[in-house]
Amino acid sequence: MKISDRIEMTMNAAISNGQGGIAPAKLAAALNYAVTPGGARIRPTILMSVAMACGDDCPKLTNAAGIALELIHCASLVHDDLPCFDDADLRRGKPALHRAFSEPLAVLTGDSLIVMAFQVLAAAAAHTPNRALQLIEILGMRTGMPYGICAGQGWESEDQIDLSAYHQAKTGALFIAATQMGAVAAGQEAEPWAELGARIGEAFQVADDLRDALCDEATLGKPAGQDDLHGRPNAVASLGIAGAVQRFDDILGGAISSIPACPGEAALAQMVRAYADKLVPAGARKRPTVPGE
Amino acid sequence: MKISDRIEMTMNAAISNGQGGIAPAKLAAALNYAVTPGGARIRPTILMSVAMACGDDCPKLTNAAGIALELIHCASLVHDDLPCFDDADLRRGKPALHRAFSEPLAVLTGDSLIVMAFQVLAAAAAHTPNRALQLIEILGMRTGMPYGICAGQGWESEDQIDLSAYHQAKTGALFIAATQMGAVAAGQEAEPWAELGARIGEAFQVADDLRDALCDEATLGKPAGQDDLHGRPNAVASLGIAGAVQRFDDILGGAISSIPACPGEAALAQMVRAYADKLVPAGARKRPTVPGE
């Protein structure tokens, strides 16, 4: 089965479980709204690619790990869009959840999806309880305090920001979770896979900065130019477009050379490169047109 | 060690872990603010009492289970106090967290505490991974959708409320989690303990209605008379004070007779009765004074 099919099938099952029985209908509908349309599903795709490179001997656990990670990501988008944070109108080309439903339902949707992530992992433990527990530990560490995306968002309330800790927690955390959880789901050690995740996270951040600077709202599915508008530190502001593209390529090279030895090493490297290239907007790689040339 | 000491010791360790390393200072402080002062810690006290009645052969797992449950309860208080829900100024006699810190930090504190609950359980798995996984499943079920406190709060956004599902999810869920998790932490089946939890939850709701109607803000540590103010269904409005006290006593009797056979059955019954009695405000049990008597 294709990775994208594994993701959507497992996600649908998880959301259906959360909606089942006698449940409040609006919150039940909001759960599905928060996780669709799927878009790139980049985090679970990386997770499953790593698991497959490591042999993927427990595919159900791999599927659960991928969906747990994506649920946390979707929860973070719903909470980050709240009026007290980004006050976003749009997400994935449709109204942000708190606009489509309500602010209370957006808070509860995020909370429910966080809980669901851990439920999905516990339910997939079967004959590998220790792998499932380790997945829960990694996901918790990269979601909560002091190293997870909650910490990353928390840094934005500080007067003095530790920029390295901020970026690692805000963007890097779920990519580190992706590579480590992929390895653990397939019975491998987590630690050797941290660097690949951290570097993919850095590359993703630079690509995001490029897209924010170069793409319009219709392409992004959310407002463009937000980094500039909010004065956020970003690679395009500090390096220019060509410099940011060079930085992206450097990080990507480091990411690929950090891949631990495993049966599917070559295929994984190819996947990471192909996937990452899609992240950089075409306009960023165009050389400037010289009139008359 | 006394139950209350076990709770505070384990809670302090969990919060310290969440604050450790290079973390955003305000969010780190907010984690502690959200779980102190401890107050009655009724849910973990019930959980540990059940575990002790069942032999408590893994006290570290019992401690973790108690704290995980209390973390979820504290997270729910922080989110329920947000402006988009109760917009509460006070909680436990001090400013609500979003007033003392900020609304973004209140959202993130709740999120972080939810995650921490599952981390605490996974970290305490040690030699009983299957018990830890079952604890995670129960806690997830009683926190998220469709049966947990998120669902309970979600019902308040519906035009047509299923009152039984609403009360079971909103107040009952964490008491059912308390009795079931206590039993599971000590290696017993979860199912026979559901009724005790559900009945304690009902009794607690009636006692809460009595306190809301009879106590002042200083005693409650939060505004009084809120049920009346918001027109919420409550036992005092429908049964009167004497009727509500009678209902409380009836539910409590049912709770105690539902306790499954276990080594500490008698002590547990006594604890539940003593504890529950403390919940009903003294004024509710006073007979009216007849002048001249």
Side-chain angles (χ1 to χ4, degrees):
Chain A
M1 202 186 292
K2 281 198 306 182
I3 284 183
S4 57
D5 292 337
R6 291 173 67 174
I7 293 172
E8 297 316 311
M9 190 192 65
T10 316
M11 179 62 90
N12 290 341
I15 296 294
S16 291
N17 270 343
Q19 295 172 324
I22 302 168
K26 289 176 193 164
L27 182 53
L31 295 181
N32 190 59
Y33 190 91
V35 303
T36 53
R41 304 276 197 220
I42 180 166
R43 293 159 191 78
T45 301
I46 292 169
L47 187 154
M48 290 185 182
S49 301
V50 170
M52 288 164 78
C54 295
D56 196 22
D57 63 340
C58 285
K60 281 189 186 166
L61 188 62
T62 301
N63 292 351
I67 264 45
L69 182 59
E70 182 69 7
L71 287 168
I72 291 291
H73 172 61
C74 293
S76 78
L77 298 181
V78 172
H79 280 185
D80 288 359
D81 283 345
L82 284 169
C84 70
F85 291 108
D86 291 353
D87 198 14
D89 292 319
L90 279 179
R91 169 68 68 183
R92 291 170 169 161
K94 61 184 188 179
L97 197 142
H98 66 279
R99 294 257 189 273
F101 289 83
S102 69
E103 207 180 324
L105 285 168
V107 173
L108 294 173
T109 298
D111 292 354
S112 302
L113 295 179
I114 295 171
V115 173
M116 192 185 289
F118 295 101
Q119 288 181 282
V120 164
L121 287 172
H127 304 299
T128 53
N130 289 317
R131 289 192 201 177
L133 285 162
Q134 206 187 334
L135 291 170
I136 290 167
E137 287 198 280
I138 294 171
L139 187 62
M141 178 176 177
R142 299 301 172 182
T143 303
M145 274 280 282
Y147 302 117
I149 52 172
C150 291
Q153 195 76 5
W155 277 111
E156 298 186 7
S157 292
E158 294 295 318
D159 303 319
Q160 295 288 327
I161 298 184
D162 182 315
L163 270 181
S164 157
Y166 167 63
H167 282 301
Q168 174 116 348
K170 170 115 182 172
T171 316
L174 292 192
F175 287 100
I176 298 173
T179 52
Q180 292 196 317
M181 290 172 76
V184 168
Q188 300 302 307
E189 292 293 314
E191 198 282 327
W193 290 88
E195 186 176 347
L196 175 61
R199 286 180 186 261
I200 293 176
E202 285 176 65
F204 187 84
Q205 182 62 57
V206 175
D208 206 45
D209 292 351
L210 281 163
R211 284 203 309 281
D212 184 74
L214 293 173
C215 297
D216 60 12
E217 181 168 317
T219 311
L220 290 175
K222 63 182 182 181
Q226 292 295 297
D227 290 340
D228 220 34
L229 191 70
H230 295 287
R232 291 180 191 135
N234 73 88
V236 175
S238 56
L239 302 171
I241 289 172
V245 171
Q246 183 59 52
R247 175 109 184 88
F248 177 86
D249 289 340
D250 291 347
I251 298 170
L252 192 63
I256 287 169
S257 65
S258 84
I259 295 176
C262 61
E265 190 179 333
L268 182 61
Q270 195 174 22
M271 188 286 291
V272 169
R273 188 173 294 283
Y275 205 83
D277 259 355
K278 280 200 292 185
L279 291 176
V280 176
R285 294 211 184 267
K286 255 190 230 142
R287 276 167 299 172
T289 314
V290 181
E293 223 185 33
Chain B
M1 202 186 294
K2 280 197 307 182
I3 284 182
S4 57
D5 293 336
R6 291 173 67 175
I7 293 172
E8 298 315 313
M9 190 191 67
T10 316
M11 180 62 90
N12 289 342
I15 296 294
S16 291
N17 270 343
Q19 295 173 324
I22 301 168
K26 289 175 192 164
L27 182 53
L31 296 181
N32 191 59
Y33 190 91
V35 303
T36 54
R41 303 275 196 219
I42 181 166
R43 291 160 193 79
T45 301
I46 292 169
L47 187 155
M48 291 186 182
S49 301
V50 169
M52 290 164 79
C54 295
D56 195 22
D57 62 342
C58 286
K60 280 188 187 166
L61 188 62
T62 301
N63 292 350
I67 265 45
L69 182 60
E70 183 68 8
L71 286 168
I72 293 290
H73 173 60
C74 292
S76 78
L77 298 181
V78 172
H79 280 185
D80 288 358
D81 284 345
L82 283 169
C84 69
F85 291 110
D86 291 354
D87 198 14
D89 293 319
L90 280 178
R91 170 67 69 182
R92 291 170 169 161
K94 63 183 187 180
L97 198 141
H98 67 277
R99 295 257 189 270
F101 289 82
S102 70
E103 206 179 324
L105 285 168
V107 173
L108 293 173
T109 298
D111 292 354
S112 302
L113 295 178
I114 294 171
V115 173
M116 191 185 289
F118 295 101
Q119 289 181 281
V120 164
L121 287 172
H127 304 298
T128 52
N130 289 317
R131 288 192 200 177
L133 284 162
Q134 206 186 336
L135 291 171
I136 289 167
E137 288 199 276
I138 295 170
L139 187 62
M141 179 176 175
R142 300 301 172 181
T143 302
M145 275 280 281
Y147 301 118
I149 52 173
C150 290
Q153 195 75 6
W155 278 111
E156 298 186 7
S157 290
E158 295 295 319
D159 303 318
Q160 294 288 328
I161 299 184
D162 182 315
L163 270 180
S164 158
Y166 167 63
H167 282 301
Q168 173 116 345
K170 169 114 182 173
T171 316
L174 292 191
F175 287 100
I176 298 173
T179 53
Q180 291 196 317
M181 290 173 76
V184 168
Q188 300 302 306
E189 293 292 316
E191 198 283 327
W193 291 88
E195 186 176 348
L196 175 62
R199 286 180 185 262
I200 293 175
E202 285 177 65
F204 188 84
Q205 182 62 56
V206 174
D208 206 47
D209 292 351
L210 281 162
R211 285 203 309 280
D212 184 74
L214 292 171
C215 296
D216 60 12
E217 179 167 317
T219 312
L220 290 177
K222 62 182 182 181
Q226 292 295 296
D227 290 339
D228 221 32
L229 191 68
H230 296 285
R232 292 182 191 134
N234 74 87
V236 174
S238 55
L239 302 169
I241 289 170
V245 172
Q246 183 59 51
R247 174 107 184 90
F248 177 86
D249 290 340
D250 290 348
I251 298 169
L252 192 63
I256 287 168
S257 65
S258 84
I259 295 176
C262 60
E265 188 178 334
L268 181 61
Q270 195 174 23
M271 188 287 290
V272 169
R273 188 174 293 284
Y275 206 84
D277 259 356
K278 281 201 292 186
L279 291 176
V280 176
R285 294 211 183 268
K286 255 190 226 142
R287 274 167 301 172
T289 315
V290 180
E293 225 185 34

